[in-house]
Amino acid sequence: MTKFITIASGKGGVGKTTAAINLGQALIHLGKKVIVVDSNLVTPNIGIHLGLINPDGTINKFLRKEKNLKDIIYTHESGLSIIPASPSYIEFQKTNPQKIAEIFEHLDNLADIVILDAPSGLGYEIEQILKHSDEVIIVANPNLSSVMDALKTIQLARSNQNIIAGVILNMSHRGWHEMKPHEIEHILNYPIIANIKADRKIRKSLHQQLPLNFLYPQSRSAKEFRKVAEHITFKK
């Protein structure tokens, strides 16, 4: 059976898309068949991060029954399979976000793991995604507003009986003028399974529209994403 894992945060801009792409790439290196889905219909970024600026096949068109599933799955040069959402505001207006749950039944048994890059906030769309997910990985930055939004996301996920796989602490600065990992774990009551520092190699990979784990597989941050992949794959 396919495992559905949602990458969520509550707050936008914390690095969910970067985490989703690089976790997917790390899982490929472990021999898993992975599909990364952009389930953020409002402000999608999966395609943009990987150079797919204006794709013809999108989850929007699939939900409107204008495209088949095979028409919206793209294989990136890194080997990662993705389903993008349209960055077009007109396309967003034409798409009913309440139908987002339809993608799950069509992807079941198509991959070992499906990673969903979730929308920000605590609205209807994220709740529908969580209802159909097996596990959730929380992404947070080391500041109190991000951590408190992450806490609300955890509470929403738990209300939907999701397993919380852990927390990715993103864009940390070696503890300078920011919350310490143990303080964050105390508030969220879940372990930090990766600590991704503010990293110029991540910025370079974003600029080149390639996964960090593909461009710089031996970098410190790439190794942190591999830790997350191993945690998901090998945990009991």
Side-chain angles (χ1 to χ4, degrees):
M1 286 182 62
T2 298
K3 181 186 287 186
F4 291 90
I5 301 175
T6 292
I7 310 297
S9 67
K11 182 178 287 297
V14 300
K16 291 191 304 295
T17 301
T18 299
I21 289 170
N22 287 293
L23 174 57
Q25 191 71 35
L27 286 163
I28 288 174
H29 291 163
L30 293 178
K32 298 297 182 183
K33 185 176 181 181
V34 181
I35 299 174
V36 177
V37 179
D38 200 333
S39 57
N40 184 352
L41 301 181
V42 181
T43 53
N45 280 301
I46 290 289
I48 293 170
H49 274 43
L50 295 174
L52 203 59
I53 306 301
N54 190 27
D56 180 56
T58 62
I59 191 171
N60 307 68
K61 291 183 178 179
F62 173 79
L63 295 177
R64 297 200 305 266
K65 304 189 186 308
E66 296 173 12
K67 293 286 185 181
N68 295 319
L69 186 64
K70 63 180 178 61
D71 298 324
I72 67 169
I73 299 177
Y74 295 82
T75 302
H76 187 259
E77 63 180 278
S78 63
L80 185 64
S81 294
I82 66 169
I83 295 178
S86 174
S88 163
Y89 179 66
I90 293 173
E91 281 290 298
F92 164 67
Q93 286 185 308
K94 290 162 57 180
T95 306
N96 183 357
Q98 295 186 2
K99 293 186 175 182
I100 190 70
E102 292 180 14
I103 195 72
F104 288 87
E105 61 182 274
H106 290 85
L107 289 175
D108 202 13
N109 297 318
L110 201 62
D112 298 314
I113 297 173
V114 171
I115 298 173
L116 297 114
D117 184 15
S120 304
L122 302 171
Y124 179 86
E125 291 86 354
I126 179 64
E127 184 157 19
Q128 290 305 302
I129 292 164
L130 292 174
K131 279 182 180 178
H132 294 84
S133 298
D134 301 301
E135 299 185 13
V136 178
I137 294 174
I138 302 296
V139 181
N141 298 152
N143 60 72
L144 189 57
S145 63
S146 175
V147 171
M148 295 310 295
D149 282 345
L151 179 60
K152 286 182 280 190
T153 305
I154 287 172
Q155 292 167 340
L156 178 62
R158 285 174 58 87
S159 73
N160 284 285
Q161 287 76 51
N162 296 124
I163 295 170
I164 309 296
V167 179
I168 294 176
L169 181 60
N170 195 37
M171 294 187 274
S172 63
H173 293 82
R174 305 180 190 280
W176 295 339
H177 311 296
E178 64 186 18
M179 295 182 70
K180 305 293 189 292
H182 73 271
E183 295 172 328
I184 295 169
E185 290 180 326
H186 178 72
I187 292 173
L188 299 183
N189 202 30
Y190 284 95
I192 292 171
I193 54 177
N195 188 342
I196 311 294
K197 311 289 185 184
D199 187 346
R200 63 185 179 84
K201 288 183 177 177
I202 291 180
R203 293 198 301 274
K204 285 183 177 181
S205 70
L206 287 171
H207 181 69
Q208 296 186 46
Q209 298 174 320
L210 292 165
L212 173 77
N213 297 54
F214 178 72
L215 194 59
Y216 300 111
Q218 297 307 313
S219 66
R220 179 183 297 177
S221 296
K223 290 177 181 177
E224 287 293 300
F225 283 117
R226 283 204 293 276
K227 278 171 50 179
V228 180
E230 290 167 358
H231 175 76
I232 290 168
T233 303
F234 301 123
K235 73 177 187 296
K236 295 180 179 179

Short mmCIF file of all heavy atoms in Angstrom, two decimals, residues 169-205:
data_model
loop_
_atom_site.label_atom_id
_atom_site.label_comp_id
_atom_site.label_asym_id
_atom_site.label_seq_id
_atom_site.Cartn_x
_atom_site.Cartn_y
_atom_site.Cartn_z
N LEU A 169 13.31 21.15 11.64
CA LEU A 169 13.64 22.53 12.00
C LEU A 169 14.42 23.11 10.83
O LEU A 169 15.51 22.63 10.50
CB LEU A 169 14.46 22.56 13.29
CG LEU A 169 14.86 23.95 13.81
CD1 LEU A 169 13.61 24.78 14.11
CD2 LEU A 169 15.73 23.82 15.04
N ASN A 170 13.87 24.13 10.21
CA ASN A 170 14.46 24.67 8.98
C ASN A 170 14.95 26.11 9.17
O ASN A 170 14.38 26.87 9.93
CB ASN A 170 13.41 24.62 7.85
CG ASN A 170 14.03 24.81 6.48
OD1 ASN A 170 15.14 24.35 6.22
ND2 ASN A 170 13.33 25.50 5.60
N MET A 171 16.01 26.44 8.43
CA MET A 171 16.59 27.79 8.41
C MET A 171 17.08 28.22 9.79
O MET A 171 16.85 29.36 10.22
CB MET A 171 15.60 28.80 7.82
CG MET A 171 15.32 28.56 6.35
SD MET A 171 14.31 29.85 5.58
CE MET A 171 12.65 29.28 5.96
N SER A 172 17.73 27.32 10.49
CA SER A 172 18.31 27.69 11.78
C SER A 172 19.68 28.32 11.56
O SER A 172 20.32 28.14 10.52
CB SER A 172 18.41 26.46 12.69
OG SER A 172 19.28 25.50 12.15
N HIS A 173 20.14 29.08 12.57
CA HIS A 173 21.39 29.83 12.46
C HIS A 173 22.32 29.50 13.62
O HIS A 173 22.83 30.39 14.30
CB HIS A 173 21.12 31.34 12.42
CG HIS A 173 20.41 31.79 11.19
ND1 HIS A 173 19.04 31.68 11.03
CD2 HIS A 173 20.88 32.34 10.04
CE1 HIS A 173 18.70 32.16 9.84
NE2 HIS A 173 19.79 32.56 9.22
N ARG A 174 22.51 28.23 13.86
CA ARG A 174 23.44 27.76 14.89
C ARG A 174 23.11 28.30 16.28
O ARG A 174 23.98 28.48 17.12
CB ARG A 174 24.88 28.15 14.52
CG ARG A 174 25.31 27.66 13.15
CD ARG A 174 26.74 28.08 12.83
NE ARG A 174 27.06 27.80 11.44
CZ ARG A 174 27.41 26.63 10.94
NH1 ARG A 174 27.48 25.59 11.76
NH2 ARG A 174 27.70 26.47 9.67
N GLY A 175 21.81 28.57 16.50
CA GLY A 175 21.40 28.97 17.85
C GLY A 175 21.52 30.43 18.17
O GLY A 175 21.23 30.85 19.29
N TRP A 176 21.95 31.26 17.21
CA TRP A 176 22.10 32.69 17.48
C TRP A 176 20.75 33.39 17.33
O TRP A 176 20.13 33.40 16.28
CB TRP A 176 23.11 33.31 16.51
CG TRP A 176 24.50 32.79 16.68
CD1 TRP A 176 25.03 32.19 17.79
CD2 TRP A 176 25.54 32.79 15.69
NE1 TRP A 176 26.34 31.83 17.56
CE2 TRP A 176 26.68 32.19 16.29
CE3 TRP A 176 25.62 33.25 14.37
CZ2 TRP A 176 27.88 32.04 15.60
CZ3 TRP A 176 26.82 33.10 13.69
CH2 TRP A 176 27.93 32.50 14.30
N HIS A 177 20.30 34.04 18.41
CA HIS A 177 19.08 34.85 18.40
C HIS A 177 17.89 34.05 17.87
O HIS A 177 17.11 34.55 17.05
CB HIS A 177 19.29 36.12 17.57
CG HIS A 177 20.52 36.88 17.91
ND1 HIS A 177 20.71 37.47 19.14
CD2 HIS A 177 21.65 37.13 17.18
CE1 HIS A 177 21.88 38.06 19.16
NE2 HIS A 177 22.48 37.87 18.01
N GLU A 178 17.74 32.85 18.36
CA GLU A 178 16.63 32.00 17.94
C GLU A 178 16.34 30.98 19.02
O GLU A 178 17.14 30.79 19.95
CB GLU A 178 16.97 31.29 16.62
CG GLU A 178 18.13 30.32 16.72
CD GLU A 178 18.53 29.74 15.38
OE1 GLU A 178 18.17 30.32 14.35
OE2 GLU A 178 19.25 28.71 15.38
N MET A 179 15.21 30.31 18.91
CA MET A 179 14.86 29.27 19.87
C MET A 179 15.78 28.07 19.73
O MET A 179 16.20 27.71 18.62
CB MET A 179 13.41 28.84 19.67
CG MET A 179 12.40 29.93 19.95
SD MET A 179 10.69 29.34 19.74
CE MET A 179 10.55 28.23 21.15
N LYS A 180 16.08 27.45 20.85
CA LYS A 180 16.93 26.26 20.86
C LYS A 180 16.09 25.03 20.51
O LYS A 180 14.88 24.99 20.80
CB LYS A 180 17.57 26.07 22.23
CG LYS A 180 18.35 27.28 22.74
CD LYS A 180 19.58 27.53 21.89
CE LYS A 180 20.49 28.58 22.50
NZ LYS A 180 19.91 29.93 22.50
N PRO A 181 16.71 24.02 19.90
CA PRO A 181 15.95 22.81 19.56
C PRO A 181 15.19 22.19 20.73
O PRO A 181 14.04 21.78 20.57
CB PRO A 181 17.04 21.88 19.02
CG PRO A 181 18.05 22.80 18.43
CD PRO A 181 18.08 23.99 19.36
N HIS A 182 15.82 22.16 21.91
CA HIS A 182 15.13 21.54 23.05
C HIS A 182 13.92 22.36 23.49
O HIS A 182 12.93 21.80 23.98
CB HIS A 182 16.10 21.32 24.22
CG HIS A 182 16.49 22.58 24.94
ND1 HIS A 182 17.57 23.35 24.56
CD2 HIS A 182 15.93 23.20 26.03
CE1 HIS A 182 17.68 24.39 25.38
NE2 HIS A 182 16.70 24.33 26.27
N GLU A 183 13.97 23.68 23.30
CA GLU A 183 12.81 24.51 23.62
C GLU A 183 11.64 24.22 22.66
O GLU A 183 10.48 24.16 23.08
CB GLU A 183 13.19 25.99 23.53
CG GLU A 183 14.22 26.42 24.55
CD GLU A 183 14.71 27.84 24.32
OE1 GLU A 183 14.77 28.27 23.15
OE2 GLU A 183 15.04 28.51 25.32
N ILE A 184 11.97 24.03 21.40
CA ILE A 184 10.95 23.73 20.39
C ILE A 184 10.34 22.36 20.64
O ILE A 184 9.11 22.19 20.59
CB ILE A 184 11.58 23.82 18.99
CG1 ILE A 184 12.01 25.27 18.71
CG2 ILE A 184 10.60 23.33 17.91
CD1 ILE A 184 12.87 25.43 17.49
N GLU A 185 11.17 21.38 20.94
CA GLU A 185 10.66 20.04 21.23
C GLU A 185 9.77 20.04 22.47
O GLU A 185 8.77 19.31 22.52
CB GLU A 185 11.84 19.07 21.43
CG GLU A 185 12.59 18.76 20.14
CD GLU A 185 13.73 17.80 20.35
OE1 GLU A 185 14.37 17.86 21.43
OE2 GLU A 185 14.02 17.00 19.45
N HIS A 186 10.10 20.88 23.45
CA HIS A 186 9.28 20.96 24.66
C HIS A 186 7.89 21.50 24.36
O HIS A 186 6.88 21.00 24.88
CB HIS A 186 9.98 21.85 25.69
CG HIS A 186 9.19 22.03 26.96
ND1 HIS A 186 9.04 21.02 27.88
CD2 HIS A 186 8.50 23.10 27.44
CE1 HIS A 186 8.28 21.45 28.88
NE2 HIS A 186 7.94 22.71 28.64
N ILE A 187 7.81 22.51 23.49
CA ILE A 187 6.51 23.10 23.14
C ILE A 187 5.69 22.16 22.27
O ILE A 187 4.50 21.95 22.49
CB ILE A 187 6.70 24.46 22.42
CG1 ILE A 187 7.26 25.50 23.39
CG2 ILE A 187 5.39 24.95 21.81
CD1 ILE A 187 7.65 26.81 22.73
N LEU A 188 6.34 21.56 21.26
CA LEU A 188 5.61 20.73 20.30
C LEU A 188 5.39 19.30 20.79
O LEU A 188 4.52 18.60 20.29
CB LEU A 188 6.36 20.71 18.96
CG LEU A 188 6.55 22.07 18.28
CD1 LEU A 188 7.26 21.88 16.93
CD2 LEU A 188 5.21 22.78 18.07
N ASN A 189 6.23 18.87 21.73
CA ASN A 189 6.13 17.52 22.29
C ASN A 189 6.38 16.44 21.24
O ASN A 189 5.86 15.33 21.34
CB ASN A 189 4.77 17.31 22.95
CG ASN A 189 4.80 16.18 23.97
OD1 ASN A 189 5.84 15.92 24.60
ND2 ASN A 189 3.70 15.48 24.13
N TYR A 190 7.18 16.80 20.23
CA TYR A 190 7.62 15.82 19.22
C TYR A 190 9.09 16.08 18.90
O TYR A 190 9.55 17.23 19.01
CB TYR A 190 6.78 15.93 17.94
CG TYR A 190 5.42 15.30 18.09
CD1 TYR A 190 4.32 16.08 18.43
CD2 TYR A 190 5.23 13.92 17.92
CE1 TYR A 190 3.06 15.51 18.60
CE2 TYR A 190 3.99 13.35 18.09
CZ TYR A 190 2.91 14.14 18.43
OH TYR A 190 1.68 13.56 18.60
N PRO A 191 9.82 15.04 18.51
CA PRO A 191 11.26 15.22 18.29
C PRO A 191 11.59 15.94 16.99
O PRO A 191 10.86 15.83 16.00
CB PRO A 191 11.78 13.77 18.25
CG PRO A 191 10.61 12.98 17.74
CD PRO A 191 9.39 13.64 18.34
N ILE A 192 12.67 16.69 17.01
CA ILE A 192 13.23 17.26 15.78
C ILE A 192 14.02 16.15 15.10
O ILE A 192 15.00 15.63 15.66
CB ILE A 192 14.12 18.47 16.10
CG1 ILE A 192 13.25 19.62 16.61
CG2 ILE A 192 14.92 18.90 14.87
CD1 ILE A 192 14.03 20.81 17.15
N ILE A 193 13.61 15.77 13.90
CA ILE A 193 14.26 14.66 13.19
C ILE A 193 15.27 15.16 12.17
O ILE A 193 16.01 14.37 11.58
CB ILE A 193 13.22 13.74 12.51
CG1 ILE A 193 12.28 14.54 11.60
CG2 ILE A 193 12.42 12.99 13.57
CD1 ILE A 193 11.28 13.67 10.85
N ALA A 194 15.33 16.48 11.96
CA ALA A 194 16.36 17.08 11.11
C ALA A 194 16.46 18.55 11.47
O ALA A 194 15.45 19.21 11.73
CB ALA A 194 16.04 16.92 9.63
N ASN A 195 17.70 19.05 11.47
CA ASN A 195 17.96 20.46 11.74
C ASN A 195 18.68 21.02 10.52
O ASN A 195 19.87 20.78 10.31
CB ASN A 195 18.81 20.62 13.00
CG ASN A 195 18.94 22.07 13.44
OD1 ASN A 195 18.70 22.99 12.66
ND2 ASN A 195 19.35 22.28 14.68
N ILE A 196 17.93 21.74 9.67
CA ILE A 196 18.47 22.25 8.41
C ILE A 196 18.94 23.69 8.64
O ILE A 196 18.14 24.58 8.90
CB ILE A 196 17.41 22.23 7.28
CG1 ILE A 196 16.72 20.85 7.21
CG2 ILE A 196 18.04 22.61 5.96
CD1 ILE A 196 17.60 19.72 6.82
N LYS A 197 20.24 23.88 8.58
CA LYS A 197 20.79 25.22 8.77
C LYS A 197 20.50 26.11 7.57
O LYS A 197 20.26 25.62 6.46
CB LYS A 197 22.32 25.13 8.97
CG LYS A 197 22.79 24.11 9.99
CD LYS A 197 22.47 24.51 11.39
CE LYS A 197 23.07 23.53 12.41
NZ LYS A 197 22.69 23.86 13.79
N ALA A 198 20.54 27.43 7.80
CA ALA A 198 20.50 28.37 6.68
C ALA A 198 21.74 28.09 5.83
O ALA A 198 22.87 28.19 6.30
CB ALA A 198 20.51 29.80 7.21
N ASP A 199 21.54 27.70 4.58
CA ASP A 199 22.60 27.05 3.79
C ASP A 199 22.65 27.66 2.39
O ASP A 199 21.65 27.65 1.67
CB ASP A 199 22.27 25.55 3.72
CG ASP A 199 23.37 24.73 3.07
OD1 ASP A 199 24.27 25.30 2.44
OD2 ASP A 199 23.30 23.49 3.19
N ARG A 200 23.81 28.18 2.01
CA ARG A 200 23.94 28.76 0.66
C ARG A 200 23.78 27.71 -0.43
O ARG A 200 23.37 28.03 -1.56
CB ARG A 200 25.28 29.48 0.51
CG ARG A 200 26.50 28.59 0.63
CD ARG A 200 27.79 29.40 0.58
NE ARG A 200 28.95 28.55 0.71
CZ ARG A 200 29.53 27.90 -0.30
NH1 ARG A 200 29.03 28.05 -1.52
NH2 ARG A 200 30.57 27.14 -0.11
N LYS A 201 24.07 26.44 -0.12
CA LYS A 201 23.89 25.39 -1.13
C LYS A 201 22.40 25.15 -1.41
O LYS A 201 22.04 24.78 -2.53
CB LYS A 201 24.59 24.11 -0.69
CG LYS A 201 26.11 24.22 -0.77
CD LYS A 201 26.81 22.94 -0.42
CE LYS A 201 28.33 23.10 -0.59
NZ LYS A 201 29.06 21.88 -0.18
N ILE A 202 21.56 25.34 -0.42
CA ILE A 202 20.12 25.26 -0.67
C ILE A 202 19.71 26.40 -1.59
O ILE A 202 18.93 26.20 -2.53
CB ILE A 202 19.33 25.30 0.66
CG1 ILE A 202 19.55 24.01 1.45
CG2 ILE A 202 17.83 25.49 0.37
CD1 ILE A 202 18.82 23.94 2.76
N ARG A 203 20.22 27.60 -1.33
CA ARG A 203 19.90 28.74 -2.22
C ARG A 203 20.38 28.48 -3.64
O ARG A 203 19.70 28.80 -4.61
CB ARG A 203 20.53 30.02 -1.67
CG ARG A 203 19.94 30.49 -0.35
CD ARG A 203 20.26 31.95 -0.08
NE ARG A 203 21.70 32.20 -0.03
CZ ARG A 203 22.44 32.06 1.05
NH1 ARG A 203 21.89 31.67 2.19
NH2 ARG A 203 23.72 32.32 1.03
N LYS A 204 21.56 27.89 -3.78
CA LYS A 204 22.09 27.56 -5.11
C LYS A 204 21.21 26.53 -5.81
O LYS A 204 20.94 26.64 -7.01
CB LYS A 204 23.52 27.04 -5.00
CG LYS A 204 24.57 28.10 -4.72
CD LYS A 204 25.96 27.48 -4.72
CE LYS A 204 27.04 28.52 -4.52
NZ LYS A 204 28.41 27.90 -4.54
N SER A 205 20.79 25.52 -5.07
CA SER A 205 19.95 24.48 -5.68
C SER A 205 18.60 25.05 -6.12
O SER A 205 18.07 24.68 -7.17
CB SER A 205 19.76 23.31 -4.71
OG SER A 205 18.95 23.66 -3.61
#
